[in-house]
Amino acid sequence: FYTLSLHDVFRSVHVYDYLAKTRLCEKKFNSSGTTALWMPKVFDPDCSSVLIGFADGVVRHLSITKNSEAVQRQKKQSGMSIKLTQVFKPHLKAVTCMAIDGQGKVLATGGEDCTVFFFTIDKIFHPIGFVEMPSVIASLNWSPIAQGNKLLVCCKDGTVQEFAQPVGTYDTTKTFQLPLEGLMLNEYKFNTVKDKLLKEIEDARKAKEEEERLKKEAEEKARKKRLGIEEEDEPEEKEK
C-alpha cells in the first residue's frame, strides 16, 4: 500500500510503504509539487502511477517501478524508483487540482491562472483545450457516468460551473481555448457567510464582556455602600 508525500522545501516527491512505514524512493524536480492524483485502475491496473501538478503549471506523469537486482547493485539504489513517463504544461501558474472521469478517458486540470484544461487519455495524455473561469480553481469533480459524466468546477470566489464532457474535435490551429456554447451547462454563484458568522460571534463576545464589566462595577458600588465608603466624584473637565 503506497502513500505519497510532496516536499515543498526540497521540491521532491517521496513514496512510502504505508504499512511498513518506510520510504521506498524519491525524486527531485525544479519546482514544488502542489497536488497529486493516483491514476485509476481503468488506466493503470497496478495503481503504480500518479499525476503530480507543480507550482510552475507543469503536470508530470510518474510511474513507480521495481528495480532489478542488477540495477540495485550497480547504482546502489533501493528496490523501487520513480520514472518520468510524460510531462506537459497546461497552466501558466500553479496547478491546484486534477480529476479523471469515471471512464478514465478524460483528465481535467485546474490552476491558479483561472483555467480548466481538458485532456483525452489513451496511453498518453492528448490536449483537448481549456476554458476560462472567473477565479482560481478550488476543486474539480466528475459526476457518475449514469448522471451524464459532467464536470463540476468550483472557484474560490464562490462560482460553480457545470461542464459537459468534451467530445469530438476542436479547431486548435489558433488557440486551445474552447467555446463555451454546448460545453458549459449550468452556472451557480454562492456567497460566503463565514465573515458574517465571525462578526456575530465577535459581537456576542464583546457584549458578554461588557455585561460582565457592568456587573462587577455594580457589585463594587454595592460593596462600598455597605461599608459606608463614599465614592469620589469624577472631576469635571475644565471649560476651555
Side-chain angles (χ1 to χ4, degrees):
F1 185 77
Y2 299 149
T3 186
L4 199 70
S5 171
L6 305 180
H7 204 298
D8 182 42
V9 176
F10 298 105
R11 299 178 177 180
S12 58
V13 174
H14 300 254
V15 178
Y16 294 86
D17 185 326
Y18 180 78
L19 297 178
K21 298 181 180 180
T22 56
R23 187 174 64 183
L24 300 175
C25 53
E26 66 174 288
K27 193 173 183 66
K28 294 185 178 181
F29 299 93
N30 55 9
S31 182
S32 301
T34 53
T35 184
L37 177 66
W38 286 98
M39 297 301 297
K41 281 188 175 182
V42 66
F43 176 85
D44 179 9
D46 296 329
C47 296
S48 59
S49 60
V50 61
L51 285 172
I52 306 292
F54 289 84
D56 57 1
V58 169
V59 175
R60 289 179 172 88
H61 181 214
L62 306 176
S63 296
I64 303 167
T65 61
K66 187 174 182 179
N67 294 326
S68 65
E69 293 183 2
V71 171
Q72 294 181 48
R73 288 195 301 270
Q74 292 175 2
K75 299 185 178 182
K76 296 182 180 180
Q77 293 182 349
S78 63
M80 309 295 290
S81 63
I82 300 174
K83 292 185 178 180
L84 178 64
T85 305
Q86 187 181 353
V87 58
F88 44 96
K89 192 176 189 300
H91 300 282
L92 299 176
K93 296 181 179 180
V95 183
T96 57
C97 49
M98 300 179 288
I100 294 176
D101 74 313
Q103 295 175 318
K105 293 183 177 180
V106 178
L107 164 70
T109 66
E112 288 186 356
D113 58 355
C114 307
T115 64
V116 175
F117 214 113
F118 295 94
F119 297 83
T120 57
I121 305 175
D122 192 2
K123 292 182 179 180
I124 61 173
F125 300 87
H126 304 276
I128 299 174
F130 70 89
V131 292
E132 291 185 340
M133 299 296 294
S135 71
V136 174
I137 316 303
S139 67
L140 299 170
N141 292 281
W142 288 95
S143 67
I145 299 173
Q147 297 179 12
N149 213 24
K150 303 169 186 176
L151 179 69
L152 201 65
V153 182
C154 300
C155 298
K156 286 193 173 181
D157 70 345
T159 301
V160 176
Q161 293 183 0
E162 186 180 42
F163 291 89
Q165 180 182 352
V167 293
T169 57
Y170 295 89
D171 183 7
T172 57
T173 54
K174 295 182 179 180
T175 178
F176 273 92
Q177 185 169 1
L178 302 177
L180 293 179
E181 184 178 357
L183 193 60
M184 190 177 76
L185 304 175
N186 294 296
E187 182 176 18
Y188 310 92
K189 182 69 176 180
F190 296 90
N191 295 320
T192 178
V193 295
K194 182 178 179 180
D195 293 339
K196 182 180 178 181
L197 293 175
L198 291 175
K199 185 178 185 303
E200 290 177 354
I201 293 172
E202 181 65 13
D203 290 344
R205 184 187 65 80
K206 289 181 178 179
K208 186 176 180 180
E209 288 181 352
E210 179 65 13
E211 182 183 351
E212 291 177 352
R213 186 188 69 81
L214 293 175
K215 183 180 178 181
K216 288 180 179 179
E217 188 176 284
E219 290 175 349
E220 180 65 14
K221 286 182 178 180
R223 185 186 69 83
K224 289 182 177 180
K225 186 176 181 180
R226 287 195 305 270
L227 297 174
I229 301 175
E230 296 183 359
E231 293 187 4
E232 297 181 359
D233 295 332
E234 294 184 0
E236 297 181 357
E237 294 184 0
K238 295 181 180 181
E239 294 184 359
K240 295 182 179 180

